[in-house]
C-alpha cells in the first residue's frame, strides 16, 4: 500500500506517571585523602587512616551543602561516598574555579577485596574500587554544575580529583534520582526475622529496576 498503514495510529496520553526526578544528598563520606587514588582491577585498597582523614569531615559538609572544600593547585584528592542504599541517578557536581582540573566520578555497587570478591557491601578497609562513570574537566568558571547524559547506579560513589594551576572549590554534591515512582503501599508480616528483613531489599530492588 505504498507505505500507508491500515490502522490510523495516533499519539495518546501515557497512563504511567513520570519518572522520578529529584535532587537528593544521601549517605555519608566514609573515606578521603589527598593522594592520587588508583582504581580499577588492580586498584589501591582503602586503609584505616582514610576513614579518619580530616578531609572526611570537609567532604561531609560538601554533601550536606554547609560548606565548600578547596583542593589546592597541583594536588590530588579523593572521596569515598557511601550512599546508604542503592541509588540510580545522574551526578550533580557544583564547583568553582580550578580551570583544567579533572574530576572522575565513579559508581560502585560494592568494593572488592584482594581476591576480587565483593562480600559485604559495607566493608571498606582493605578493599578497592573498580568503578564506572564519568570524568569532568573544569573551565574555571563560578558555580559550574556537571552531570552525565545518562543515569548511573550504585551504593558507593568515588570522586578522584586532580587540579592544575588553580585551586578548585567544590560547593555541593548530589544525585538527581531517577526511577519509576513506586512506593510500598502494602504490608507483610512473618514470624521469621530473616524473611521480614528481606522485604525492604525486594522493594528497593524493584524500584531500582523500574525505568523506561
Amino acid at each position: 500500500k505504498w507505505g500507508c498503514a491500515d490502522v490510523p495510529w495516533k499519539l495518546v496520553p501515557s497512563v504511567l506517571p513520570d519518572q522520578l526526578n529529584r535532587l537528593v544528598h544521601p549517605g555519608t563520606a566514609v573515606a578521603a585523602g589527598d593522594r592520587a587514588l588508583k582504581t580499577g582491577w588492580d586498584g589501591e585498597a582503602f586503609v584505616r587512616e582514610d576513614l579518619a582523614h580530616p578531609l572526611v569531615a570537609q567532604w561531609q559538609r560538601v554533601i550536606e551543602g554547609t560548606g565548600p572544600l578547596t583542593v589546592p593547585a597541583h594536588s590530588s584528592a579523593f572521596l569515598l561516598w557511601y550512599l546508604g542504599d542503592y541509588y540510580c541517578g545522574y551526578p550533580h557536581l557544583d564547583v568553582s574555579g580550578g580551570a583544567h582540573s579533572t574530576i572522575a566520578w565513579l559508581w560502585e555497587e560494592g568494593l572488592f577485596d584482594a581476591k576480587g570478591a565483593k562480600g559485604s557491601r559495607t566493608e571498606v578497609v582493605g578493599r578497592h574500587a573498580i568503578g564506572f562513570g564519568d570524568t569532568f574537566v573544569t573551565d574555571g568558571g563560578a558555580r559550574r554544575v556537571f552531570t552525565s547524559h545518562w543515569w548511573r547506579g550504585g551504593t558507593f560513589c568515588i570522586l578522584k580529583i586532580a587540579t592544575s594551576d588553580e585551586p578548585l572549590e567544590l560547593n555541593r554534591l548530589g544525585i538527581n534520582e531517577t526511577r519509576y515512582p513506586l512506593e510500598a503501599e502494602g504490608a507483610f508480616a512473618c514470624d521469621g526475622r530473616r524473611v521480614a528483613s528481606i522485604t525492604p531489599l525486594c522493594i528497593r530492588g524493584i524500584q531500582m529496576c523500574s525505568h523506561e
Side-chain angles (χ1 to χ4, degrees):
K1 298 196 177 198
W2 306 285
C4 296
D6 287 334
V7 180
W9 297 107
K10 295 181 180 180
L11 296 175
V12 295
S14 173
V15 297
L16 297 176
D18 290 337
Q19 295 281 306
L20 197 66
N21 180 16
R22 62 184 179 187
L23 185 61
V24 295
H25 309 274
T28 56
V30 294
D34 53 7
R35 65 181 187 277
L37 181 68
K38 182 181 180 182
T39 56
W41 292 106
D42 58 346
E44 178 182 356
F46 295 100
V47 296
R48 194 165 301 279
E49 288 74 14
D50 295 334
L51 279 64
H53 197 283
L55 283 176
V56 172
Q58 295 184 45
W59 276 111
Q60 185 61 37
R61 289 194 290 270
V62 176
I63 295 171
E64 295 172 353
T66 58
L69 180 152
T70 300
V71 181
H74 300 292
S75 61
S76 300
F78 72 86
L79 162 70
L80 177 64
W81 178 12
Y82 175 57
L83 304 179
D85 208 335
Y86 197 100
Y87 277 85
C88 293
Y90 299 82
H92 180 93
L93 174 64
D94 182 332
V95 302
S96 297
H100 308 299
S101 297
T102 60
I103 307 168
W105 184 318
L106 308 176
W107 297 72
E108 192 76 270
E109 181 184 84
L111 303 178
F112 295 82
D113 63 19
K115 297 181 179 179
K118 289 184 180 180
S120 172
R121 297 298 193 268
T122 58
E123 290 187 21
V124 173
V125 176
R127 295 174 177 266
H128 67 277
I130 295 175
F132 169 82
D134 308 274
T135 298
F136 308 110
V137 181
T138 60
D139 67 351
R143 302 308 299 253
R144 299 296 201 231
V145 175
F146 293 89
T147 187
S148 60
H149 294 292
W150 194 243
W151 56 268
R152 316 301 188 189
T155 305
F156 289 94
C157 286
I158 303 97
L159 275 75
K160 301 192 302 175
I161 299 171
T163 58
S164 184
D165 297 332
E166 299 178 4
L168 175 69
E169 186 177 85
L170 295 110
N171 302 307
R172 193 75 190 269
L173 297 177
I175 296 170
N176 272 311
E177 186 180 6
T178 180
R179 60 175 171 84
Y180 184 83
L182 170 70
E183 301 300 336
E185 298 179 351
F188 175 79
C190 178
D191 293 338
R193 294 182 180 179
R194 295 186 63 183
V195 176
S197 65
I198 291 174
T199 304
L201 299 178
C202 294
I203 294 172
R204 191 62 177 177
I206 295 173
Q207 290 174 334
M208 294 300 98
C209 295
S210 299
H211 296 274
E212 296 179 312

